[in-house]
Amino acid sequence: MVDPHLDQIKAADWTSIIKDNKSLRKLLQTYFLTEYTFFPAFQKDYFLQDMASGRKEYCSPLLVHAVLASACHGYSSTNHRSRFWNPETLGYRCLAEARRLWELEIGHAQLTTIQAAIVLAIVYDANGRDEEGRAYLAQAVAAAHAIQLFSPQKNGDDREFNCRAITAWALFGLQAVHSFHVFKAPLLSMPPSIPLPGQDKCYGDFVLRFPAAKGPVSVNYANTFRTLSEFRLIMNDVAAVFFSEMKNAPNSTVDRIKGFCIRLDSWYQTLPPDLKTREISFPWQLKLQ
């Protein structure tokens, strides 16, 4: 992953757990290439820019440690990364610090806190502790309502709009995936009213370097984010229909299933060209098929 801001990030500015800059940057790369691409929680570019400059508008120590805890799932250089219960592992220590910082921020609804809750939910779900993951999602939803995250943005700040829109749809998407897989009614019955950003550059592209390539290769991440959001909207509706306490009549159930099949087929048939079966090449794209 090629990003000029990544090379400027200093470990000492954000954490006392990781001492050297190289390890921190490698962990961040791991997170963005293994976790973030399929389960985004924030706008990547704004996060890295703030992390490099030391600003705390779109980055915070809580969010950083949540990201590091998530990164440890895919970081092969750390020992015993699957033993999330072991206090000696890097993942445990990052998660413990994230939880400590979370306790300090409870009651303060802000964007980075919501984003951290999304990442922490992913961490707990990956560790097989879905009840705790759902608890973080519920708190994220409550905080999102408190700051009207799902409502249309009124001011003209493009960065703020992009960040809020991406976070709103990321939260909606993750709670849909979580609810669907644990057979529970979704925490949000309707998608965000705030629309997704229209321009591709608003999502933050991924620039990758391959040994055989003449130079860095840019990957259009905007299509992936939009496509994931559309698919997870269908998942949310499925969970709302079949996992709520209301019972459906047999005829109604059949009709609803047919309706979802039509929607899923339409979603698949209208995939962007770069996400068609013959064109995909990255792991997060393969998961869409």
Side-chain angles (χ1 to χ4, degrees), residues 59-277:
C59 184
S60 72
L62 167 60
L63 180 55
V64 167
H65 284 90
V67 164
L68 294 176
S70 183
C72 287
H73 287 140
Y75 188 51
S76 58
S77 297
T78 187
N79 296 325
H80 308 301
R81 55 183 165 142
S82 63
R83 300 180 184 178
F84 61 87
W85 61 86
N86 186 344
E88 300 301 319
T89 62
L90 180 60
Y92 183 99
R93 286 183 283 140
C94 290
L95 182 57
E97 179 62 10
R99 291 184 60 177
R100 185 188 72 82
L101 294 169
W102 173 265
E103 294 296 326
L104 297 177
E105 291 197 20
I106 288 179
H108 300 284
Q110 56 189 20
L111 208 53
T112 53
T113 306
I114 295 168
Q115 294 163 347
I118 297 172
V119 179
L120 288 171
I122 295 168
V123 173
Y124 279 104
D125 282 356
N127 289 342
R129 298 165 67 179
D130 51 88
E131 288 297 330
E132 289 172 86
R134 191 170 184 82
Y136 278 104
L137 285 175
Q139 293 178 82
V141 168
H145 283 305
I147 65 171
Q148 298 182 323
L149 182 65
F150 303 118
S151 303
Q153 182 79 10
K154 294 182 179 180
N155 63 45
D157 188 333
D158 290 341
R159 282 170 59 90
E160 184 71 9
F161 171 82
N162 294 338
C163 197
R164 288 175 65 93
I166 288 172
T167 303
W169 281 92
L171 174 55
F172 175 80
L174 181 61
Q175 65 83 37
V177 172
H178 178 99
S179 299
F180 180 87
H181 283 99
V182 299
F183 310 116
K184 291 186 177 181
L187 299 169
L188 293 166
S189 59
M190 298 293 292
S193 297
I194 186 171
L196 284 169
Q199 297 183 337
D200 288 359
K201 65 179 182 180
C202 299
Y203 295 84
D205 268 356
F206 281 83
V207 180
L208 307 176
R209 182 179 285 116
F210 298 96
K214 295 181 179 180
V217 177
S218 179
V219 180
N220 185 352
Y221 183 66
N223 283 340
T224 297
F225 192 100
R226 293 192 193 101
T227 302
L228 284 172
S229 298
E230 292 166 0
F231 183 76
R232 288 166 182 172
L233 176 57
I234 301 174
M235 291 183 75
N236 200 70
D237 290 346
V238 171
V241 168
F242 294 107
F243 304 139
S244 65
E245 295 181 356
M246 295 180 62
K247 299 297 182 181
N248 297 300
N251 291 339
S252 173
T253 299
V254 171
D255 290 339
R256 288 176 182 271
I257 291 174
K258 289 180 179 178
F260 287 129
C261 288
I262 292 171
R263 288 175 64 185
L264 287 168
D265 183 66
S266 175
W267 171 85
Y268 184 77
Q269 296 299 330
T270 56
L271 284 172
D274 61 323
L275 293 179
K276 295 288 188 181
T277 305

Side-chain angles (χ1 to χ4, degrees), residues 44-63:
K44 172 182 70 72
D45 291 347
Y46 301 163
F47 171 83
L48 288 176
Q49 288 166 13
D50 276 18
M51 198 172 178
S53 65
R55 290 194 306 267
K56 295 182 180 179
E57 184 177 6
Y58 299 116
C59 184
S60 72
L62 167 60
L63 180 55

